Structures are given as structure tokens and as C-alpha cells.
Amino acid sequence: DAGVIQSPRHEVTEMGQEVTLRCKPISGHDYLFWYRQTMMRGLELLIYFNNNVPIDDSGMPEDRFSAKMPNASFSTLKIQPSEPRDSAVYFCASSLSGGGETQYFGPGTRLLVL
Amino acid sequence: DQQVKQNSPSLSVQEGRISILNCDYTNSMFDYFLWYKKYPAEGPTFLISISSIKDKNEDGRFTVFLNKSAKHLSLHIVPSQPGDSAVYFCAAGRRFQGAQKLVFGQGTRLTINP
């Protein structure tokens, strides 16, 4: 079975550019989560969706960040414009309601903003 | 304000011995606790979990203990194996809109020495 898929795995961009990170959750999972990992703040939840609907975006740091889930098999996290302090590893995770509480993580996207 | 703390950034254990990783939390509303294991350049992998109504959960070599009065949980690995060398994250969850909102600790790097 395919796990959570994220692309790209690495992204290097210049300050001010738009960055789009992509995620495909595990088939059949109805919850999707976006996390960010930095040295200073550790692993923190940014936003999560249930059945493609955003439920809680209280962790999204600024208006420069936006996330969408147009269908059950695809989600994007967009940063526009990007800043050097956005450099981090971004993880996507998915889980299944009624199937336990476990969230399954993708391999992450390592973002470097110069 | 860190709600979940792993006070030991690193731990070194001899192969075959017991590894004990600790985690403290501050919010008594957390009702679910998990341990994740992370290798470099990979996403966190679920290891074991425990509900707040239990005080122990065991899965093979891994046992998680929960002390609610002390707001403390620990992960025991017996016997420790070289493949257990990784970063371990504890996470505490609180149900919100049907999903567990997880708060992660900063992680403990476990090294198993042959």
C-alpha cells in the first residue's frame, strides 16, 4: 500500500517567490494534516482538513500561508511570498476517523528560501 | 509555552539493555498519547499509543506507561537493538472536531551502541 506521498522532496527558492507543496493522503483517509518542523519550534500543526473541508487553521503562521484540498486525494500548501524564515521541513499526514487516532506521515518536503 | 516536553535531547544505550524515554505534558485535557520514531530524511513513523483511560500499553519490545497524576509518560524498549537508533517524538492529543490535534515534544535522539 502506498503511504502518504509528498512532492517535491526538496525545494530551493528565492525570497519573494511562490512555493507550492503537494500531498496525496492514504486512500480512504478522511483527515489530512499539514505540519512544519523547525529547529526552534519543533513539529507543529499548521492546518487540518476533514473530508476536504478545513477544520482548524489556527496554526497557520501568517496570511502568506494558504492550504487547499480540492478533492480527497490531493492537497496543497502554498506560501506567497516566501521568506527565509519559512525554511523548514513540511510534513503532510493523514488519518482515518473511526480507525484509531494514528496519523501517518509522508516523507516531508525540505524547503530552503534564500 | 511548551505543552509537551522531552527534557533529554539525547540518550545512549548499550545494545540489549533497556531504553527509557521520558515525556512530560502540562495540559490535563490531553486524552491520547503517541510515540513516533523518525529516521533522517523520513517522516515520523507511528510506534505505539495509549489512551488516557489506560496506564500501560505493550507491543512487542515497546511499552508505553502513562502516569496521569504526574502528567508523565515513558517509552520502554527492551531489548534495545541497533535499528532502534533514531529520534523519538512523544505527542499528546486532544480531540477537536473529530480528530486528534497533536502537540509534539522536541524529540530525543536515541543511540544504541553495539
Side-chain angles (χ1 to χ4, degrees):
Chain A
D1 287 341
V4 175
I5 299 172
Q6 291 187 247
S7 63
R9 292 295 309 275
H10 303 273
E11 178 80 31
V12 181
T13 190
E14 291 188 347
M15 182 174 64
Q17 296 298 306
E18 177 180 296
V19 175
T20 299
L21 311 181
R22 297 172 175 80
C23 175
K24 175 179 169 57
I26 293 173
S27 177
H29 282 194
D30 53 353
Y31 283 94
L32 184 140
F33 306 82
W34 281 101
Y35 289 87
R36 178 173 68 175
Q37 184 183 28
T38 61
M39 288 295 294
M40 290 297 296
R41 300 178 65 88
L43 193 60
E44 53 181 345
L45 176 66
L46 300 178
I47 184 172
Y48 71 94
F49 295 81
N50 177 224
N51 291 323
N52 315 336
V53 176
I55 300 300
D56 185 347
D57 65 354
S58 59
M60 295 286 262
E62 300 172 35
D63 291 346
R64 297 184 297 105
F65 286 70
S66 63
K68 293 182 179 180
M69 192 164 185
N71 58 63
S73 58
F74 184 66
S75 177
T76 59
L77 178 66
K78 186 175 294 187
I79 308 172
Q80 166 63 22
S82 58
E83 296 183 4
R85 59 196 169 114
D86 301 331
S87 298
V89 182
Y90 291 82
F91 291 103
C92 176
S94 68
S95 69
L96 180 64
S97 62
E101 314 294 351
T102 304
Q103 295 179 21
Y104 296 88
F105 283 75
T109 295
R110 184 173 294 275
L111 173 65
L112 178 60
V113 183
L114 302 174
Chain B
D1 180 29
Q2 266 190 292
Q3 297 187 67
V4 179
K5 291 184 181 179
Q6 294 176 254
N7 291 318
S8 298
S10 62
L11 177 66
S12 185
V13 174
Q14 194 171 1
E15 182 180 357
R17 298 291 184 103
I18 183 172
S19 294
I20 300 176
L21 296 96
N22 294 302
C23 180
D24 297 297
Y25 62 95
T26 57
N27 191 341
S28 58
M29 298 297 290
F30 288 133
D31 58 8
Y32 200 73
F33 304 88
L34 308 91
W35 284 94
Y36 281 83
K37 175 179 176 180
K38 186 181 182 304
Y39 293 119
E42 295 184 10
T45 302
F46 170 73
L47 200 54
I48 193 168
S49 62
I50 188 168
S51 164
S52 61
I53 62 174
K54 296 185 176 181
D55 54 20
K56 178 182 174 181
N57 187 28
E58 194 170 351
D59 183 2
R61 296 186 298 115
F62 303 93
T63 303
V64 56
F65 295 92
L66 176 63
N67 183 334
K68 288 189 292 294
S69 60
K71 293 190 179 67
H72 177 84
L73 68 155
S74 62
L75 174 68
H76 292 209
I77 306 173
V78 181
S80 300
Q81 299 175 353
D84 296 330
S85 295
V87 177
Y88 289 77
F89 292 94
C90 70
R94 181 180 174 188
R95 185 168 292 280
F96 181 75
Q97 300 271 17
Q100 285 285 350
K101 284 190 68 172
L102 297 182
V103 179
F104 283 81
Q106 292 286 81
T108 296
R109 182 177 300 277
L110 175 64
T111 302
I112 305 301
N113 302 306

